[in-house]
Amino acid sequence: MIKVVILGTGNIAKHLFDAFLGNGTISIEQVVGRSASALEYFKKSTQVSKNYKSVKDADIFIIAVSDDSIQAVSKKLSGKMGLIVHTSGSVSVKVLAPHKNVGVIYPLQTFSMNRPINFKSVPVCLEADQKKDLQLLRKLAESISENVHLLSSTQRKHIHLAAVFANNFTNHLYHLAHKICEENKVSFDILKPLILETADKIVDLTPYSIQTGPARRKDTKTMQSQLEQLTNQWHKKIYEDVSNSILSTYEPDHQN
Amino acid sequence: MIKVVILGTGNIAKHLFDAFLGNGTISIEQVVGRSASALEYFKKSTQVSKNYKSVKDADIFIIAVSDDSIQAVSKKLSGKMGLIVHTSGSVSVKVLAPHKNVGVIYPLQTFSMNRPINFKSVPVCLEADQKKDLQLLRKLAESISENVHLLSSTQRKHIHLAAVFANNFTNHLYHLAHKICEENKVSFDILKPLILETADKIVDLTPYSIQTGPARRKDTKTMQSQLEQLTNQWHKKIYEDVSNSILSTYEPDHQN
């Protein structure tokens, strides 16, 4: 059994906890967090504590807190034996120094509080300096996911940026589409099959090969007319920039 | 039986044709197009012609050609009895004048040549001036789709713009994510579950309510560092403007 302590009570802490529960390889020793109400969720199934001074012993300590708090929480673990890991996409493993046994377990998925997810298919990106630590971390990760990858801090930083485009920015484009529908009294539901098919397509085809739309076919008349439909300055800018980026992707000499 | 002639041989022509085939309500009288090789696909199941002067009689003539050619093709139908419709999202029904019986059947989906689609779930947006024409068009549309909507030319123009954001621009963001992965020797496959889940979420939740990421939490440190990771000028602009648009969405006073 791999003994685990989770530090933090947010989305990732909760989804990891759910994935660990009832797993024959993992024993959750404790969940530690500052908020008593957030600890309620974990209390039924393991020991919880609000006190970072009473952290139990474990093989792996998983720091699942906001990026800015990782270092501070890791300092509270001084003197602990075992592997200390964080779960962030953009923070280097180095912030966990001076601990020697350090690593990262970064589940690359968008988690919502009340939306269950099949963790088996969640890509989990791992990093650890020491070979033995990596073996242990891999054993933990492979017990909850069938999609485990080794990534350096630099690679992780880049894929986190890629995820910002593919997830955060894409979701904002959905929001703009939603807004345009609302303002013109058209149901956003009409767009949902399109959104799902657009995402589904990239499972088998490269996004480069299936690009369509006014910018792809250099249809300046439609682009001009659509720009005029937009009233918000940021939305206009997004329309122009993404169109220019599409034009320059297929014609590297494009200068605007 | 509704007698139909399709003018055009592209993606939409082909997907409508496939949806009409074997449908008990519709009889495809003919497919007309300039390219003999493109007509090959239709030849097995209906009559085809390269000559716009030999268009057969029908109840509905469906002009499924590029936006710029719609008017020219419609002029070749002068003297024809029956309803003339085009299939474009951004072109007004008015370009079909001086024909009196005119309309639009706009299937709002992304079609690829070799990717079959379940047409029953494709949203189909209809428009027609005359009540009788609309009844006929609705009968046609409802025989192939369970997702039929009435939209004015103005509403259709707006939802087409919304679709550019939700489909064309989103696909370009996928491409940028793909590029970042390739440049850093990380498999794009790692991002695919995230992309699918991001799209799936908006079926039940509004994009506004589930926005996450550095811009949403005003994490200027991460935003600055990610901007520095980007080297292409258009990608930097997209990063800045989408981030600003997110900031201004949640703080209307945001000015950058």
Side-chain angles (χ1 to χ4, degrees):
Chain A
M1 294 287 267
I2 305 174
K3 293 182 179 177
V4 169
V5 166
I6 298 174
L7 304 116
T9 56
N11 260 332
I12 293 189
K14 183 173 169 263
H15 279 93
L16 280 175
F17 178 83
D18 288 346
F20 291 160
L21 265 188
N23 179 316
T25 315
I26 298 162
S27 161
I28 310 169
E29 301 294 298
Q30 191 185 29
V31 175
V32 185
R34 281 174 308 181
S35 153
S37 62
L39 285 169
E40 281 296 317
Y41 181 83
F42 306 92
K43 222 160 107 174
K44 306 159 263 179
S45 328
T46 189
Q47 293 191 41
V48 299
S49 172
K50 281 181 66 179
N51 188 352
Y52 278 91
K53 283 182 184 152
S54 66
V55 175
K56 297 183 77 176
D57 289 330
D59 301 307
I60 307 184
F61 301 87
I62 301 179
I63 303 178
V65 299
S66 67
D67 289 2
D68 288 341
S69 310
I70 293 171
Q71 194 160 32
V73 169
S74 81
K75 287 197 193 303
K76 293 178 203 267
L77 298 174
S78 66
K80 284 285 174 198
M81 302 290 283
L83 172 60
I84 298 175
V85 299
H86 72 64
T87 60
S88 164
S90 55
V91 175
S92 166
V93 69
K94 292 201 173 77
V95 302
L96 300 173
H99 293 290
K100 275 182 195 145
N101 300 94
V102 293
V104 177
I105 178 168
Y106 168 48
L108 203 163
Q109 185 49 283
T110 166
F111 297 108
S112 308
M113 263 301 174
N114 297 312
R115 197 177 152 87
I117 209 147
N118 176 11
F119 216 99
K120 283 278 167 212
S121 62
V122 171
V124 177
C125 306
L126 303 183
E127 179 178 8
D129 280 344
Q130 319 272 347
K131 200 172 163 185
K132 214 180 118 201
D133 293 338
L134 193 57
Q135 275 170 351
L136 179 64
L137 199 55
R138 192 196 271 269
K139 194 175 163 195
L140 178 89
E142 287 179 348
S143 78
I144 55 169
S145 166
E146 288 160 359
N147 201 347
V148 175
H149 305 263
L150 298 192
L151 258 62
S152 69
S153 280
T154 309
Q155 284 178 315
R156 185 162 33 81
K157 201 175 153 182
H158 285 294
I159 203 162
H160 183 248
L161 174 58
V164 167
F165 280 96
N167 164 237
N168 304 148
F169 287 2
T170 289
N171 185 70
H172 187 61
L173 295 188
Y174 297 160
H175 168 65
L176 298 188
H178 189 191
K179 229 170 120 84
I180 293 169
C181 287
E182 267 192 340
E183 285 168 3
N184 296 283
K185 300 192 178 18
V186 178
S187 166
F188 182 58
D189 287 350
I190 302 184
L191 281 180
K192 288 177 181 174
L194 177 71
I195 286 173
L196 294 173
E197 173 71 4
T198 303
D200 267 352
K201 270 187 173 181
I202 57 94
V203 174
D204 299 318
L205 304 162
T206 65
Y208 180 89
S209 68
I210 54 173
Q211 185 66 52
T212 55
R216 178 66 184 98
R217 57 177 191 271
K218 289 184 279 178
D219 176 351
T220 45
K221 212 172 95 185
T222 300
M223 284 193 271
Q224 196 51 46
S225 141
Q226 296 197 321
L227 257 179
E228 282 162 20
Q229 277 177 256
L230 294 164
T231 48
N232 179 297
Q233 59 156 331
W234 298 116
H235 306 172
K236 271 184 193 289
K237 270 178 190 273
I238 290 172
Y239 190 98
E240 284 178 317
D241 294 341
V242 180
S243 295
N244 275 316
S245 183
I246 292 172
L247 288 164
S248 80
T249 298
Y250 297 90
E251 287 191 34
D253 291 338
H254 173 74
Q255 295 293 336
N256 185 22
Chain B
M1 294 286 268
I2 305 175
K3 292 183 179 176
V4 169
V5 166
I6 299 175
L7 303 116
T9 55
N11 259 333
I12 293 189
K14 182 172 169 265
H15 279 93
L16 280 176
F17 178 82
D18 289 346
F20 291 159
L21 266 187
N23 178 317
T25 315
I26 299 163
S27 161
I28 310 170
E29 301 294 298
Q30 191 186 30
V31 175
V32 184
R34 282 175 308 183
S35 152
S37 63
L39 285 169
E40 281 296 318
Y41 181 83
F42 306 93
K43 221 159 110 174
K44 304 160 265 179
S45 328
T46 189
Q47 293 190 40
V48 299
S49 172
K50 281 181 67 181
N51 188 351
Y52 277 92
K53 283 182 185 154
S54 66
V55 175
K56 296 182 76 177
D57 287 331
D59 300 308
I60 307 183
F61 300 88
I62 301 179
I63 302 178
V65 300
S66 67
D67 289 1
D68 288 342
S69 310
I70 292 171
Q71 195 160 30
V73 170
S74 82
K75 286 197 195 303
K76 293 179 203 262
L77 299 175
S78 68
K80 284 284 173 201
M81 302 290 285
L83 174 60
I84 298 176
V85 299
H86 73 63
T87 60
S88 164
S90 55
V91 175
S92 166
V93 70
K94 293 202 175 76
V95 304
L96 300 174
H99 292 291
K100 274 181 194 143
N101 299 96
V102 293
V104 177
I105 178 167
Y106 168 47
L108 204 163
Q109 184 51 284
T110 166
F111 297 108
S112 308
M113 264 300 174
N114 297 312
R115 198 177 152 88
I117 208 144
N118 176 10
F119 216 99
K120 283 278 167 215
S121 62
V122 172
V124 176
C125 306
L126 303 184
E127 180 178 6
D129 280 344
Q130 319 273 347
K131 201 172 163 186
K132 213 181 118 201
D133 292 338
L134 192 57
Q135 274 171 351
L136 178 65
L137 199 55
R138 191 197 272 270
K139 195 175 163 197
L140 178 90
E142 286 180 349
S143 78
I144 55 169
S145 167
E146 288 160 359
N147 201 346
V148 175
H149 304 264
L150 298 192
L151 258 62
S152 68
S153 280
T154 309
Q155 284 178 316
R156 185 160 35 79
K157 200 174 155 183
H158 286 294
I159 203 163
H160 182 249
L161 174 57
V164 167
F165 279 96
N167 165 236
N168 304 149
F169 288 1
T170 289
N171 185 69
H172 187 61
L173 295 189
Y174 296 161
H175 167 64
L176 298 188
H178 189 191
K179 228 171 120 85
I180 293 170
C181 287
E182 267 192 339
E183 285 168 2
N184 295 283
K185 298 190 179 21
V186 177
S187 165
F188 182 58
D189 287 350
I190 303 183
L191 282 182
K192 288 178 181 175
L194 177 71
I195 286 172
L196 294 174
E197 174 71 2
T198 303
D200 266 352
K201 270 187 172 180
I202 57 93
V203 174
D204 299 318
L205 305 163
T206 66
Y208 180 90
S209 68
I210 55 172
Q211 185 66 53
T212 55
R216 179 65 184 98
R217 57 176 191 270
K218 289 184 279 180
D219 178 351
T220 45
K221 213 172 94 186
T222 300
M223 283 192 271
Q224 195 51 47
S225 142
Q226 295 197 322
L227 258 179
E228 283 162 19
Q229 277 177 256
L230 293 165
T231 49
N232 177 296
Q233 59 157 331
W234 298 116
H235 307 172
K236 271 185 193 288
K237 270 180 189 274
I238 290 173
Y239 190 97
E240 282 179 316
D241 292 338
V242 179
S243 295
N244 275 317
S245 182
I246 293 172
L247 288 163
S248 81
T249 298
Y250 297 90
E251 287 191 34
D253 291 339
H254 174 74
Q255 296 291 339
N256 184 24

